[in-house]
Amino acid sequence: MSRGAVGPGESRDPGLQPERTSLAWRRTLLALIVADLLIWRTWALAASRSVPGPVDYLGICALVAMAATLVLGVCVLVRGRELRRSNAAPPAGLLRWAAAAVVVLAASAVAAVGLGH
């Protein structure tokens, strides 16, 4: 048997892997919160410099970024609970929502940078 392989009837010792995974999810959320705050800061600075038009695109970027961050926050909470219960793989739906939130937040950040200049 190869090193690290689990034979029949043996239980697998997950070690600290669930804790590392939980911390990685939290670090990702923290990084996205920082990006979200920078988008809000860009919007606030742009709003203080100019008269807002009929559509405030930076405000829309800020709201979309906040919504994406909230979705990812829920994903982090759900995954953290799952990791405390078992070491099973995350559900595909959870990963899809988390990936979509990251992509939407990245698009909001790019749009905010483009609109902020």
Side-chain angles (χ1 to χ4, degrees), residues 15-117:
L16 295 176
Q17 189 262 337
E19 182 67 24
R20 287 192 309 267
T21 301
S22 179
L23 290 173
W25 278 80
R26 288 179 188 165
R27 281 191 306 268
T28 301
L29 179 62
L30 180 63
L32 296 180
I33 289 171
V34 169
D36 196 17
L37 291 173
L38 290 174
I39 293 170
W40 279 84
R41 179 179 176 262
T42 302
W43 174 56
L45 290 175
S48 68
R49 285 185 299 210
S50 64
V51 177
V55 178
D56 187 5
Y57 292 109
L58 274 174
I60 293 170
C61 287
L63 287 174
V64 169
M66 181 181 67
T69 303
L70 289 174
V71 167
L72 192 70
V74 169
C75 291
V76 168
L77 288 173
V78 169
R79 185 60 183 145
R81 283 189 199 136
E82 289 175 352
L83 284 171
R84 283 190 289 278
R85 282 187 278 163
S86 72
N87 197 18
L94 180 74
L95 294 179
R96 283 187 197 109
W97 277 103
V102 170
V103 168
V104 166
L105 185 57
S108 294
V110 169
V113 167
L115 293 168
H117 289 281

